[in-house]
Amino acid sequence: MHNVTDSDFSCSYRKPHFFGFCAVLLTYFLTQQIILRDYNLLMNFVVLLAALFLAIKKIARVTVFFIFFMLLNFLIGAVVWGDVINSFRFFVIVVATILAFQVKEKSPPLKIILGVGGIQAVVVISIGFYLMVVGDAVFANDLRSFVLINNLGDIYSFDGVYYRVQLVGNALIPFLFMVSYQNRAKSFFYKFFSVLYFFAIVFCGNLTFFIVIFIYIFIKSDRFGKMFFITCCVCISPFLMTHLYEIISMKFDGGASSMGIRFDQICAIENRFLENPLTFITGWGFGARIPDGVFNNYSSSLYIELQSLFIFFQIGLFGSLLYIANVVYYVGKVLSRENALIFFMYLVYSSTNPYMFDTTHFLVVLLLTMLSNADRERSISLQSLRLV
């Protein structure tokens, strides 16, 4: 009987290709926005080029109808709002996040991608750890001012000890953690990056990140792991509930708070739909801007905290249902169960943050599809070799 090993089929699915290179390049751009923000046009060009390559493949009918509606939405939006560039930009990224499911390449250069993304993780950990150990409030305030002035994110603390390092480029950290954690049994490399990304999430200080990764770890744990996890949660629940209550209270404290801004965005979009109820079905068209709210101005923003709601504002209920139908179709057909779980977890933390319907979203779908293709070929190869 032939013993099945990875070497029996590794050469058949580990060849790097165009989309694997795109995944590495986009990971670098997305995690290094602090120094590469002036080159976003090149990143957008990579997405457009990848989308064009994917569009020439055989596409399901539901996707053809979806693209036709989005194209019509783009043309109407470009005419009505006169912002052709941004109308086209939104059209490309929304369509690209569906077309990414079409990629046929297998086994992307995952170790390179994790290594590239790890640079951002090291930066976040280094800043958070340094501020916590040194405890220099003056330096922390100067650093925060620099970050805010240059639109690089925010760095802040409520107690002067634990600093939340929320920088541009952090969006991929929870996703890359889940990918590393899923492959942790394969080698020490993946275990190391699982730990690295976990500590980066701790220093990011994003509540949604915490919730998502703990749910993911709980789901992926065995029976003993689940019991251990529940026991730990029960033991620390008094401290955890007190701290969690303080965090939630701050998030809901006034119109300028984290949740206050999101409710303000909902009200602004709701009021705009009430001006013309038909647009709730058809959308306002790509390129439309959200009107200013009570507490904040959104009319000049291309990305807001509730980016998914922003896209709904542009494509309406009908376009959103078409989009959801395509996502459900491809997730069920293309993604493996493990990668579908990661995709769902990504949607959870990105839906309330400006990480959805952008290049990050495209990269997540592209990478998970390639990983699922590799898993599928590995399964087929194992079955074939067992028959030998």
Side-chain angles (χ1 to χ4, degrees), residues 2-14 378 385:
H2 177 69
N3 292 323
V4 179
T5 64
D6 285 348
S7 60
D8 287 313
F9 53 87
S10 60
C11 60
S12 65
Y13 71 92
R14 291 185 178 175
R378 178 187 178 113
L385 290 170

Side-chain angles (χ1 to χ4, degrees), residues 202-237:
V202 171
F203 283 106
C204 283
N206 187 304
L207 180 60
T208 313
F209 286 6
F210 282 122
I211 293 173
V212 165
I213 65 163
F214 279 117
I215 291 175
Y216 180 77
I217 292 173
F218 180 78
I219 293 174
K220 297 293 290 185
S221 299
D222 55 20
R223 186 174 181 179
F224 174 80
K226 285 182 171 66
M227 292 300 297
F228 179 77
F229 187 84
I230 293 173
T231 302
C232 289
C233 288
V234 171
C235 292
I236 66 173
S237 59

Side-chain angles (χ1 to χ4, degrees), residues 44 86 91 98 118 126 135 142 191 234 236 267 270 272 281 335 337:
N44 295 333
N86 283 315
F91 165 73
I98 294 298
S126 300
D142 291 340
K191 291 185 177 69
V234 171
I236 66 173
C267 290
E270 180 186 10
R272 191 56 185 264
I281 304 298
L335 297 188
R337 181 178 299 179

Side-chain angles (χ1 to χ4, degrees), residues 67-315:
I67 294 175
F68 175 77
F69 178 81
M70 293 301 148
L71 180 61
L72 183 63
N73 190 288
F74 155 66
L75 295 174
I76 294 174
V79 172
V80 172
W81 304 109
D83 191 355
V84 178
I85 294 177
N86 283 315
S87 295
F88 183 68
R89 185 169 180 265
F90 279 112
F91 165 73
V92 169
I93 197 62
V94 169
V95 172
T97 56
I98 294 298
L99 289 178
F101 286 108
Q102 296 280 120
V103 67
K104 301 302 180 185
E105 289 182 14
K106 299 171 282 291
S107 191
L110 187 56
K111 290 186 176 181
I112 297 176
I113 291 172
L114 293 175
V116 170
I119 299 173
Q120 179 78 359
V122 170
V123 170
V124 169
I125 293 171
S126 300
I127 294 175
F129 185 75
Y130 177 81
L131 293 176
M132 183 172 63
V133 172
V134 174
D136 188 342
V138 175
F139 174 75
N141 288 332
D142 291 340
L143 180 61
R144 186 188 187 195
S145 298
F146 173 80
V147 170
L148 290 173
I149 291 172
N150 291 278
N151 295 315
L152 300 176
D154 196 2
I155 300 175
Y156 61 94
S157 174
F158 296 115
D159 55 13
V161 178
Y162 171 52
Y163 285 85
R164 293 159 174 82
V165 186
Q166 299 181 353
L167 302 176
V168 293
N170 283 3
L172 276 175
I173 289 178
F175 169 72
L176 293 177
F177 164 78
M178 290 185 285
V179 172
S180 303
Y181 191 81
Q182 177 176 282
N183 292 279
R184 67 192 185 283
K186 293 182 178 180
S187 68
F188 174 78
F189 178 89
Y190 295 108
K191 291 185 177 69
F192 171 80
F193 275 93
S194 296
V195 174
L196 179 69
Y197 284 118
F198 179 84
F199 279 105
I201 291 170
V202 171
F203 283 106
C204 283
N206 187 304
L207 180 60
T208 313
F209 286 6
F210 282 122
I211 293 173
V212 165
I213 65 163
F214 279 117
I215 291 175
Y216 180 77
I217 292 173
F218 180 78
I219 293 174
K220 297 293 290 185
S221 299
D222 55 20
R223 186 174 181 179
F224 174 80
K226 285 182 171 66
M227 292 300 297
F228 179 77
F229 187 84
I230 293 173
T231 302
C232 289
C233 288
V234 171
C235 292
I236 66 173
S237 59
F239 167 78
L240 188 64
M241 293 304 296
T242 302
H243 189 60
L244 189 61
Y245 175 77
E246 293 176 354
I247 293 175
I248 294 176
S249 297
M250 287 184 288
K251 285 183 173 292
F252 283 88
D253 186 18
S257 65
S258 176
M259 293 305 299
I261 291 174
R262 287 164 172 80
F263 283 119
D264 191 40
Q265 292 168 0
I266 293 173
C267 290
I269 291 176
E270 180 186 10
N271 292 334
R272 191 56 185 264
F273 276 137
L274 290 174
E275 294 177 11
N276 186 353
L278 181 62
T279 58
F280 182 79
I281 304 298
T282 63
W284 285 91
F286 285 125
R289 301 297 179 90
I290 297 176
D292 295 333
V294 176
F295 301 102
N296 298 279
N297 298 327
Y298 308 112
S299 56
S300 60
S301 301
L302 292 175
Y303 288 93
I304 63 173
E305 282 75 7
L306 296 178
Q307 190 66 12
S308 55
L309 189 62
F310 189 9
I311 297 299
F312 180 88
F313 174 73
Q314 296 184 70
I315 66 177

